[in-house]
Amino acid sequence: MSYFPNVEKIKYEGVGTKNKFAFRHYNPEEVIMGKTMKEHLRFAVAYWHTMTQDGSDPFGNPTNIRNWFGDTPMETAKNRVDAFFEFLVKMDVEYFCFHDIDIAPEGNSLEEFFANIDTITDLIKEKMDETGIKLLWNTANMFSHPRFNNGAASSNNAEVFAYAAAQVKKGLDVSKKLGGENYVFWGGREGYESLLNTDMKLEQDNIARLFKMAIAYGEKIGHKPQFLLEPKPKEPSKHQYDFDAATTVAFIQKYGLEGDFKLNLEANHATLAGHTFEHELNVARCYEALGSIDANQGDLLLGWDTDEFPTNVMDTSLAMYEILENDGIAPGGINFDAKVRRSSFEMDDLVLAHIAGMDTYARGLKVAAKLKEDRFLDEIKEERYASYTIGIGKNIIDGKEDLETLTTYALENDQVELESSHLEYVKSLLNDYLV
Ligand code: XLS
Ligand code: CA
Ligand code: CA
């Protein structure tokens, strides 16, 4: 049976097409700067939003019409695997991502949960072998169940730590079984509500302890995915430990995890942290920690995590520019951590939303490539920092000056002349690239 009977495999037809089930910008085999679009973009579909999100919100019941529900949770879970792979093949997407609880029902015990995961990942593996589709990353959901009220590794209760550790072990076993290229930790409830009852140092040390156990276990079973930490400043916790890229890199460095951990950066989380997405990507690049991205967009008028499909070309262009500057993000990729709006409740909306996201990133890639080929931003920056390429500036860079020699220089050159940045002109030239 087909779960998406209205949809054939989505193909590139170009901007003029009237077919809504076609790519207008994403042309997988088109070569840009020496690589195909498919190689650059490494798109992934998120199991949670696409297969399990029901459209409910704090004020309303589910709205999504979905055709994969069976008589039991396990039957539904099995149907979802079939539907998901049909979807991936039709979307021409090579990768996917999931949490443990997205794919298999938790049942009544941890043992039952693990058995369900085994059954479902057997099915997933068969589908992967059949289609060539790959696992970008998996993760353990250690935030939804009430036991994680006070965090997982950062919980005050050591039994919760143990439970989380078991989930991570299973996650790594599954990663090995399915050849996962990355493994994500998002600290859903790794944060705190009040300092009055919180030992922040112990909580952060414990989070690092869990990560070190994960590294050690990966080594033991001979499976070494790129570990990724995903920053987010708030929601659900008031104070989240992994606030943004800079905070998270500090954590990675403090605990000596640089060799194994990079960042998975999400656009909407950047917005919540009061940053642009390109800022977060740039910070990660400065620390050689850019691992993968969760491609979505937030709403600047709302203060929460709306996880919209990316449709803003300026934003994706600047994000793709950072990715090109990074020489790509493989083994990371572009995961659509995005959900259809509550009013887009039909099955076909899943297809249309992913086309929109893929086309918007494809356009971003084209704009970013042109910016790089023209050296547009390179020239602006070279000119702006030119004073460091000659004279006193070059001496500073070369380590030839100290406070005394610079004082002598400044006393003789105290009438500093600045130049305008002409930033409005720069922005209007940048707009021309979007046309
Ligand atoms: C939630 C996060 C989550 C992670 C994976 O806001 O984005 O979905 O990506 O746990
Ligand atoms: Ca995410
Ligand atoms: Ca999010």
Side-chain angles (χ1 to χ4, degrees):
M1 98 161 241
S2 168
Y3 290 90
F4 296 88
N6 302 337
V7 183
E8 303 286 322
K9 184 166 179 163
I10 310 297
K11 298 208 178 72
Y12 170 72
E13 293 184 11
V15 179
T17 185
K18 292 274 176 288
N19 176 9
K20 64 180 173 183
F21 296 122
F23 296 121
R24 300 200 302 284
H25 300 277
Y26 178 56
N27 185 3
E29 301 312 323
E30 184 179 329
V31 175
I32 293 181
M33 299 187 82
K35 282 200 271 181
T36 63
M37 286 182 117
K38 194 166 203 161
E39 286 164 339
H40 275 290
L41 295 166
R42 298 171 60 82
F43 287 131
V45 172
Y47 214 96
W48 54 103
H49 284 312
T50 301
M51 304 315 292
T52 67
Q53 197 267 124
D54 61 12
S56 58
D57 71 12
F59 302 95
N61 297 341
T63 54
N64 290 347
I65 299 166
R66 300 292 182 254
N67 57 10
W68 45 65
F69 291 100
D71 291 338
T72 63
M74 257 325 246
E75 204 183 300
T76 301
K78 289 177 184 172
N79 294 345
R80 279 192 174 118
V81 174
D82 287 336
F84 190 58
F85 278 84
E86 181 185 340
F87 182 76
L88 293 170
V89 168
K90 287 188 166 170
M91 292 309 307
D92 201 4
V93 168
E94 230 181 336
Y95 287 96
F96 65 105
C97 303
F98 63 87
H99 301 84
D100 46 7
I101 71 160
D102 307 334
I103 58 162
E106 288 171 272
N108 294 315
S109 67
L110 190 55
E111 203 180 342
E112 190 181 337
F113 184 30
F114 286 174
N116 289 345
I117 290 176
D118 290 340
T119 306
I120 298 296
T121 51
D122 283 348
L123 296 180
I124 289 180
K125 187 164 175 8
E126 267 173 41
K127 289 283 177 187
M128 290 173 75
D129 292 343
E130 202 178 296
T131 58
I133 288 166
K134 294 171 275 189
L135 176 60
L136 186 67
W137 53 261
N138 62 313
T139 183
N141 178 320
M142 307 189 297
F143 45 87
S144 294
H145 192 279
R147 83 176 63 81
F148 299 119
N149 223 328
N150 295 301
S154 71
S155 173
N156 55 304
N157 186 323
E159 285 176 15
V160 176
F161 186 107
Y163 195 103
Q167 263 181 279
V168 170
K169 176 186 175 295
K170 189 68 181 171
L172 289 170
D173 289 335
V174 164
S175 174
K176 180 174 180 178
K177 175 172 174 180
L178 303 180
E181 298 185 21
N182 305 268
Y183 185 89
V184 163
F185 289 95
W186 167 57
R189 291 186 194 272
E190 312 293 32
Y192 69 91
E193 189 68 29
S194 168
L195 264 189
L196 296 176
N197 62 6
T198 299
D199 183 342
M200 200 192 306
K201 169 89 170 52
L202 175 69
E203 293 201 359
Q204 298 215 29
D205 286 353
N206 279 349
I207 295 171
R209 284 187 177 100
L210 183 68
F211 293 166
K212 287 186 177 164
M213 289 178 194
I215 295 169
Y217 186 67
E219 273 159 17
K220 183 170 177 194
I221 61 172
H223 176 60
K224 214 175 176 306
Q226 170 70 61
F227 286 106
L228 299 170
L229 257 179
E230 182 176 329
K232 184 174 181 181
K234 55 189 169 194
E235 203 196 285
S237 296
K238 181 159 69 171
H239 302 279
Q240 300 249 168
Y241 292 133
D242 298 330
F243 187 92
D244 61 1
T247 319
T248 309
V249 164
F251 178 95
I252 289 174
Q253 292 189 342
K254 173 174 179 198
Y255 292 101
L257 302 167
E258 301 95 313
D260 300 278
F261 275 79
K262 285 189 174 178
L263 301 180
N264 181 42
L265 294 171
E266 176 175 321
N268 202 159
H269 297 181
T271 308
L272 294 177
H275 300 308
T276 60
F277 192 30
E278 61 270 22
H279 165 91
E280 290 292 85
L281 298 171
N282 200 304
V283 169
R285 280 206 302 113
C286 290
Y287 292 95
E288 291 168 28
L290 178 51
S292 199
I293 70 167
D294 273 5
N296 58 16
Q297 70 185 23
D299 189 322
L300 295 179
L301 304 182
L302 299 172
W304 64 90
D305 195 13
T306 57
D307 286 346
E308 296 168 28
F309 275 86
T311 51
N312 183 316
V313 181
M314 181 63 92
D315 288 352
T316 59
S317 300
L318 296 177
M320 282 312 302
Y321 187 82
E322 293 296 332
I323 289 175
L324 290 182
E325 286 284 273
N326 198 60
D327 213 6
I329 43 174
I334 297 181
N335 168 46
F336 288 109
D337 191 351
K339 61 184 179 218
V340 287
R341 297 305 85 194
R342 193 173 146 77
S343 52
S344 301
F345 47 78
E346 293 174 6
M347 289 284 288
D348 289 350
D349 285 305
L350 291 173
V351 178
L352 298 174
H354 281 84
I355 292 176
M358 291 164 79
D359 271 342
T360 307
Y361 262 88
R363 284 191 72 181
L365 168 61
K366 288 185 210 165
V367 172
K370 184 87 177 85
L371 287 170
K372 259 188 91 76
E373 275 160 11
D374 290 357
R375 303 196 74 255
F376 176 72
L377 298 175
D378 288 327
E379 279 175 15
I380 288 166
K381 290 178 195 176
E382 277 166 17
E383 210 181 303
R384 190 152 179 266
Y385 294 95
S387 70
Y388 283 97
T389 59
I390 47 165
I392 194 74
K394 183 160 190 319
N395 284 349
I396 292 172
I397 299 280
D398 292 345
K400 290 183 181 154
E401 303 288 342
D402 58 32
L403 289 187
E404 287 165 303
T405 60
L406 288 172
T407 301
T408 308
Y409 181 90
L411 286 169
E412 283 164 16
N413 298 275
D414 63 351
Q415 301 302 310
V416 178
E417 275 180 40
L418 294 180
E419 280 164 21
S420 167
S421 295
H422 307 304
L423 192 55
E424 294 76 7
Y425 178 59
V426 169
K427 287 184 177 179
S428 100
L429 287 179
L430 178 62
N431 277 341
D432 292 349
Y433 279 85
L434 301 192
V435 179

